[in-house]
């Protein structure tokens, strides 16, 4: 029979289908199984309209690898195809019989209730040419006595001729390509490979996918006399011999036998069929969810929590999301691959769809299943559609809502979550330039210096002192370092609380937030921090004036290092402290300087001295004797500056000179 050429731009388009549209050759099996599932759906739908006795339980998909012939057969007992349908559906690339069928029955209520067809673009079948040099399709349509055989070797066209088939359905036979140095096509004849691909892509097809699998099992002992039929007087369940009853003490059973195994071929269902996310939540337990998480995402620690979320409307989808107990080691690296598994009617389309999660929720694991997503000509290529954006937005809000419930109802678990993933929330605020601040700020938690526990910003604001109009915070490298900051004790003694922030991104995120509930943030090292009484202010101003000459001399010694030297009453028991007089804080300078490329951004440093500290008294004496011992005064000033630098968590410029100054002072 003469070959017929493919319609449309046949050769060029088919070549594109085979070599360009699909990036992973193993997905050919997913496509063919999806098409078979559609055929089963069509036959079942037809039986409903004809009041047939056919049940879903009679419908199945079957895989048959043959290593000797190097063929893989995918068969189904679905609706089958007539000669015209074979030519129209397989002879025209990008012609979808499934889509046409769905459009024909769009007004039938049973279509929406009982049929969720998968393939609607008509190119999935041709992905099989990635692994096959020849394909035959033997099909007999439901209600027809005729069968037809479609055959093609790809670009050269196809033939359709009469054939024999005893039952309704379709049998697709793939004649695999020859192996090359780079490609091993024999792997698609291995039962473990096929089973793995079904579990990966088609585990939730609603019909059983079956295959004969060779297994080994314990061989039944068929000897004339075994322990089960032993005629000795005692009961082997009550035998009093010291050893195992498999080696009975009676003469007939004395000889111990090694277990024997036999190889059998069993008909095995490869897929689970019922997705967990489509089951009623009331029927599921935490153990069910945790087991699914372990099996699906290969994490052997139980998740902190799960979110089972179903929504219907303009866009319908099911999802199961998990928040892990521990962060992946590479969560904050460029190598970390975030995203959710994406399914369409139980068929996995993408293993990691990044578009479904904002980056700040990138730690969430899970999946989404929707029949409403817009697919391009390949199920691997998603359109940036309104449906995708709607799903992503819905998941984003749902994750936040569940985290808020966790915060309010299971505080200990939420604190564990925030210690593990709080950095992602903070980066979300910073990297969005504050655009996500309103959305994420309620999830933030910080250590309260006053209460020694984690609190939210809302809790801080609710506990503000009378007349307090700002949120006080301190940034540093660790909680221990922050708790030793000179200014902290002063604020705590005054009854104010301070939020301790040990992460590098903290202060940058606060700058993007621009306050919370109308209350601006104020660093306790900011020169604008002002909680002193009027009497205290006057006292400091008076001492400032009295020591004007001293302060000018100190500034002269530190020329180029500080922009100002002044007295303060906020240092409690510390002799000196560095503060920032500009928009860049000392903590920002430290973070930026630690970056791989380094940064030339510097804070405008001011040195504040505690006039009540004994060191200030010694400084004044050194000033009085400056004419006689200029070096001692400079040593005092430099040491106070170095101390303040260390207390601020910054590196001193010259450790050698620092040590030398201490030695010189000790020698005087």
């Amino acid at each position: 029979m003469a070959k017929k050429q493919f319609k449309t731009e046949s050769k060029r388009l088919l070549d594109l289908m085979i070599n360009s549209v699909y990036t992973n050759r193993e997905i050919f099996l997913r496509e063919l199984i999806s098409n078979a599932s559609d055929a089963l759906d069509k036959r079942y739908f037809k039986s409903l309209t004809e009041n047939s006795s056919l049940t879903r339980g009679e419908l199945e998909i079957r895989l048959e690898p043959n290593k000797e012939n190097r063929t893989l057969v995918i068969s189904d007992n679905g609706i089958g195809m007539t000669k015209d349908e074979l030519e129209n559906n397989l002879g025209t690339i990008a012609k979808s019989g499934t889509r046409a069928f769905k459009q024909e029955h769009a007004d039938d209520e049973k279509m929406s209730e009982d049929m969720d067809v998968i393939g609607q673009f008509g190119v999935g079948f041709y992905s099989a040419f990635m692994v096959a040099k020849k394909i035959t399709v033997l099909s007999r349509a439901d209600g027809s006595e005729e069968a037809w055989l479609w055959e093609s070797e790809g670009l050269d066209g196809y033939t359709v001729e009469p054939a024999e088939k005893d039952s309704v359905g379709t049998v697709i036979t793939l004649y695999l390509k020859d192996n090359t140095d780079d490609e091993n096509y024999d792997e698609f004849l291995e039962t473990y490979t096929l089973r793995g691909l079904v579990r990966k892509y088609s585990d939730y097809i609603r019909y059983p996918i079956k295959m004969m699998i060779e297994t080994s099992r314990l061989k039944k002992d068929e000897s004339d006399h075994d322990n089960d039929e032993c005629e000795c007087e005692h009961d082997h369940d009550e035998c009093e011999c010291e050893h195992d009853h498999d080696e009975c003490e009676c003469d007939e059973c004395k000889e111990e036998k090694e277990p024997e195994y036999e190889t059998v071929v069993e008909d095995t269902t490869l897929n689970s069929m019922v997705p967990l996310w489509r089951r009623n939540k009331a029927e599921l337990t935490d153990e069910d969810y945790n087991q699914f998480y372990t099996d699906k995402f290969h994490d052997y620690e139980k998740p902190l929590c799960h979110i089972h979320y179903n929504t219907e409307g303009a866009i319908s989808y099911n999802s199961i999301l998990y928040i892990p107990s521990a962060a992946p080691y590479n969560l904050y690296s460029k190598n970390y691959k975030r995203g959710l598994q994406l399914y369409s009617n139980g068929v996995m389309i993408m293993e990691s769809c990044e578009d479904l999660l904002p980056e700040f929720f990138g730690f969430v694991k899970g999946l989404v299943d929707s029949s409403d997503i817009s697919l391009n000509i390949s199920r691997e290529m998603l359109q940036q559609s309104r449906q995708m954006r709607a799903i992503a937005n819905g998941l984003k809000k749902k994750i936040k809502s569940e985290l808020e419930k966790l915060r309010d109802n299971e505080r200990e678990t939420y604190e564990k979550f925030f210690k593990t993933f709080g950095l992602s929330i903070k980066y979300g605020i910073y990297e969005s330039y504050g655009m996500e601040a309103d959305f994420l700020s309620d999830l933030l938690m910080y250590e309260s210096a006053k209460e020694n526990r984690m609190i939210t910003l809302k809790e801080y604001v609710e506990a503000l002192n009378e007349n307090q109009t700002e949120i006080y915070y301190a940034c540093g490298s660790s909680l221990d370092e922050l708790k030793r900051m000179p200014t902290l004790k002063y604020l705590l003694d005054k009854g104010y609380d301070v939020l301790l922030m040990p992460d590098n991104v903290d202060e940058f995120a606060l700058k993007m937030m621009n306050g919370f509930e109308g209350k601006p943030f104020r660093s306790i090292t900011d020169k604008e921090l002002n909680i002193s009484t009027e009497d205290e202010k006057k006292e400091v101003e008076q001492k400032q004036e009295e020591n004007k000459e001293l302060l000018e001399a100190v500034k002269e010694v530190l020329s180029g290092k500080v922009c100002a030297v002044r007295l303060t009453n906020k240092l409690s028991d510390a002799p000196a402290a560095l503060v920032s007089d500009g928009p860049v804080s000392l903590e920002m300078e430290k973070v930026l300087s630690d970056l791989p490329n380094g940064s030339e951004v510097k804070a405008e440093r001011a040195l504040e001295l505690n006039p009540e500290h004994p060191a200030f008294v010694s400084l004044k004496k050194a000033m009085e004797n400056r004419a006689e011992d200029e070096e001692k005064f400079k040593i005092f000033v430099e040491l106070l500056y170095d101390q303040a630098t260390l207390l601020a968590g910054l590196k001193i410029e010259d450790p050698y000179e620092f040590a030398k100054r201490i030695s010189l002072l000790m020698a005087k």
Side-chain angles (χ1 to χ4, degrees):
M1 180 177 290
K3 285 187 177 180
K4 299 183 180 181
Q5 290 298 312
F6 291 109
K7 299 175 184 177
T8 72
E9 297 177 294
S10 58
K11 293 186 179 181
R12 183 178 178 186
L13 187 54
L14 181 56
D15 183 62
L16 177 67
M17 295 302 103
I18 298 171
N19 299 312
S20 301
V21 171
Y22 293 98
T23 58
N24 186 357
R25 67 183 185 180
E26 68 184 23
I27 56 83
F28 81 90
L29 189 62
R30 175 191 74 186
E31 299 297 318
L32 296 183
I33 288 175
S34 298
N35 290 343
S37 175
D38 287 349
L40 297 176
D41 270 335
K42 293 173 189 177
R43 187 178 179 194
Y44 180 68
F45 173 77
K46 183 180 177 184
S47 73
L48 294 177
T49 61
E50 297 177 349
N51 296 318
S52 167
S53 60
L54 180 72
T55 64
R56 281 195 192 276
E58 300 174 57
L59 303 173
E60 67 177 27
I61 301 167
R62 186 168 290 279
L63 306 182
E64 298 175 47
N66 187 314
K67 292 184 179 180
E68 183 176 347
N69 297 330
R70 297 190 75 252
T71 59
L72 174 62
V73 175
I74 300 94
S75 61
D76 66 75
N77 56 347
I79 198 165
M81 287 178 280
T82 64
K83 178 184 178 182
D84 289 343
E85 287 171 336
L86 279 169
E87 291 196 4
N88 290 334
N89 295 340
L90 302 187
T92 304
I93 301 173
K95 172 67 179 295
S96 170
T98 294
R99 181 172 56 185
F101 184 89
K102 188 172 183 179
Q103 290 171 346
E104 288 173 15
H105 299 86
D107 297 330
D108 196 309
E109 293 181 1
K110 291 178 180 177
M111 170 66 75
S112 59
E113 294 175 1
D114 297 293
M115 189 173 173
D116 290 321
V117 292
I118 301 166
Q120 296 188 44
F121 289 90
V123 298
F125 170 79
Y126 295 96
S127 65
F129 280 109
M130 290 192 295
V131 299
K133 58 186 177 183
K134 183 174 81 171
I135 301 175
T136 64
V137 181
L138 175 63
S139 192
R140 175 180 161 186
D142 188 25
S144 173
E145 297 297 322
E146 295 181 327
W148 296 90
L149 182 68
W150 181 96
E151 182 176 322
S152 175
E153 295 182 4
L155 300 178
D156 291 336
Y158 65 93
T159 61
V160 181
E161 57 186 29
E164 297 292 329
K165 191 176 188 305
D166 295 335
S167 58
V168 173
T170 300
V171 178
I172 300 175
T173 303
L174 308 183
Y175 295 81
L176 298 187
K177 292 180 178 180
D178 297 329
N179 294 327
T180 66
D181 292 339
D182 299 324
E183 303 288 353
N184 175 26
Y185 295 99
D186 284 346
E187 65 176 317
F188 299 113
L189 299 173
E190 300 292 344
T191 54
Y192 65 84
T193 299
L194 296 173
R195 172 182 257 171
L197 293 178
V198 169
R199 290 293 300 273
K200 180 177 181 179
Y201 292 108
S202 308
D203 197 32
Y204 306 113
I205 292 290
R206 71 171 76 188
Y207 302 100
I209 304 170
K210 296 183 177 181
M211 182 169 61
M212 300 300 292
I213 295 182
E214 189 178 277
T215 58
S216 180
R217 70 182 182 189
L218 189 65
K219 187 175 182 180
K220 185 177 181 181
D221 190 353
E222 297 179 353
S223 61
D224 292 336
H225 177 81
D226 62 19
N227 287 354
D228 293 336
E229 300 172 356
C230 179
E231 297 178 1
C232 56
E233 295 180 359
H234 59 262
D235 187 332
H236 292 289
D237 290 337
E238 301 174 358
C239 182
E240 297 179 0
C241 54
E242 295 179 358
H243 52 262
D244 194 314
H245 299 298
D246 290 337
E247 188 182 350
C248 180
E249 282 294 301
C250 61
D251 293 338
E252 292 88 345
C253 303
K254 188 173 293 184
E255 183 180 354
E256 181 180 9
K257 295 183 178 180
E258 291 291 330
E260 293 184 29
Y261 293 86
E262 61 181 347
T263 299
V264 296
V265 178
E266 296 179 332
D267 201 12
T268 305
T269 299
L270 307 180
N271 58 323
S272 60
M273 290 183 284
V274 182
L276 185 76
W277 57 87
R278 289 187 179 178
R279 291 168 58 185
N280 192 321
K281 297 179 190 178
E283 300 173 357
L284 299 170
T285 65
D286 286 343
E287 288 72 19
D288 293 326
Y289 287 111
N290 292 345
Q291 186 61 50
F292 179 79
Y293 174 75
T294 298
D295 294 341
K296 197 73 175 172
F297 301 104
H298 312 295
D299 187 345
Y300 297 101
E301 282 193 61
K302 292 193 301 184
L304 275 182
C305 67
H306 65 265
I307 304 168
H308 189 172
Y309 180 45
N310 302 327
T311 183
E312 296 181 358
I315 179 75
S316 299
Y317 58 92
N318 302 312
S319 63
I320 292 183
L321 309 176
Y322 292 93
I323 296 176
S325 296
Y329 73 94
N330 61 343
L331 178 60
Y332 300 107
S333 75
K334 293 181 180 179
N335 297 327
Y336 179 72
K337 193 169 183 63
R338 62 180 174 84
L340 302 177
Q341 292 183 355
L342 178 62
Y343 288 77
S344 176
N345 291 313
V347 177
M348 191 170 80
I349 306 304
M350 294 181 69
E351 194 160 14
S352 184
C353 182
E354 295 185 0
D355 294 336
L356 291 174
L357 283 178
E359 195 162 344
F360 51 80
F361 284 156
F363 52 83
V364 175
K365 295 182 179 181
L367 55 87
V368 175
D369 186 5
S370 174
S371 58
D372 294 334
I373 56 175
S374 297
L375 301 176
N376 215 318
I377 55 176
S378 163
R379 273 187 270 270
E380 292 179 318
M381 299 167 63
L382 286 173
Q383 295 177 347
Q384 294 299 313
S385 63
R386 176 184 59 83
Q387 291 94 335
M388 283 292 290
R389 290 192 296 271
I391 293 175
N393 194 46
L395 294 176
K396 173 183 168 183
K397 291 178 180 177
K398 184 62 178 178
I399 293 170
K400 183 196 175 185
S401 172
E402 292 299 317
L403 287 175
E404 288 178 325
K405 288 180 184 176
L406 198 67
R407 179 199 64 201
D408 297 338
N409 302 321
E410 298 180 50
R411 183 62 171 247
E412 186 175 340
T413 303
Y414 184 79
E415 288 185 17
K416 182 179 179 182
F417 153 76
F418 196 80
K419 288 176 182 177
T420 306
F421 298 111
L423 204 57
S424 291
I425 308 300
K426 296 172 184 177
Y427 274 118
I429 294 173
Y430 171 62
E431 292 176 344
S432 68
Y433 297 97
M435 293 177 64
E436 297 288 355
D438 289 342
F439 182 78
L440 295 174
S441 58
D442 287 334
L443 300 178
L444 294 171
M445 295 193 86
Y446 299 100
E447 180 84 6
S448 162
K450 188 176 184 180
E451 300 184 29
N452 288 314
R453 68 182 183 93
M454 298 284 285
I455 65 171
T456 65
L457 292 176
K458 186 175 183 63
E459 289 167 341
Y460 182 95
V461 170
E462 289 174 347
L464 284 178
N465 279 6
E466 187 178 359
N467 299 324
Q468 183 180 347
T469 59
E470 299 175 317
I471 299 172
Y472 301 133
Y473 71 90
C475 289
S477 301
S478 68
L479 288 177
D480 287 340
E481 174 190 304
L482 291 169
K483 289 176 180 179
R484 293 195 297 267
M485 289 184 69
T487 315
L488 181 63
K489 186 176 185 300
Y490 173 76
L491 272 86
L492 292 177
D493 289 343
K494 288 277 190 177
Y496 294 99
D497 196 3
V498 177
L499 298 176
L500 306 181
M501 304 183 179
D503 291 326
N504 286 346
V505 72
D506 279 322
E507 192 159 20
F508 294 91
L510 294 187
K511 297 295 184 184
M512 296 299 175
M513 289 176 65
N514 196 29
F516 178 79
E517 292 191 355
K519 302 291 189 296
F521 295 104
R522 180 71 65 190
S523 170
I524 66 173
T525 62
D526 194 319
K527 71 171 184 176
E528 299 297 330
L529 177 67
N530 190 359
I531 58 173
S532 302
T533 65
E534 289 301 320
D535 289 342
E536 289 173 333
K537 291 178 186 176
K538 289 179 180 178
E539 183 179 354
V540 171
E541 289 172 0
Q542 182 178 345
K543 291 180 179 179
Q544 181 91 10
E545 186 62 31
E546 292 173 356
N547 293 280
K548 184 176 181 181
E549 185 180 354
L550 170 63
L551 298 178
E552 289 177 352
V554 171
K555 183 179 179 182
E556 183 182 348
V557 172
L558 299 176
S559 177
K561 295 181 179 180
V562 297
C563 62
V565 178
R566 54 180 172 261
L567 301 183
T568 181
N569 62 344
K570 296 181 290 189
L571 294 183
S572 297
D573 53 3
L578 284 180
V579 298
S580 171
D581 272 14
V584 179
S585 70
L586 297 174
E587 185 60 25
M588 285 182 172
E589 176 189 321
K590 182 168 61 176
V591 172
L592 293 172
S593 64
D594 286 341
L595 292 175
N597 296 330
S599 174
E600 298 302 321
V601 177
K602 297 291 184 182
E604 292 183 54
R605 302 183 183 189
L607 180 66
E608 293 189 341
L609 302 175
N610 182 358
E612 306 301 323
H613 197 279
F616 186 74
V617 177
S618 298
L619 182 64
K620 288 179 68 174
K621 289 182 179 178
M623 177 65 179
E624 293 171 359
N625 299 323
R626 184 180 181 187
E628 301 172 5
D629 196 343
E630 176 75 20
E631 183 183 28
K632 184 175 182 179
F633 176 74
K634 288 183 178 180
I635 290 174
F636 265 66
V637 172
E638 294 283 2
L639 281 176
L640 282 172
Y641 177 78
D642 287 342
Q643 286 183 62
T645 302
L646 291 172
L647 285 173
L650 298 166
K651 297 177 182 178
I652 54 179
E653 294 178 3
D654 192 337
Y656 173 78
E657 286 297 324
F658 175 67
K660 181 179 177 182
R661 282 191 286 270
I662 292 177
S663 299
L664 288 173
L665 190 62
M666 292 173 66
K668 286 186 177 290

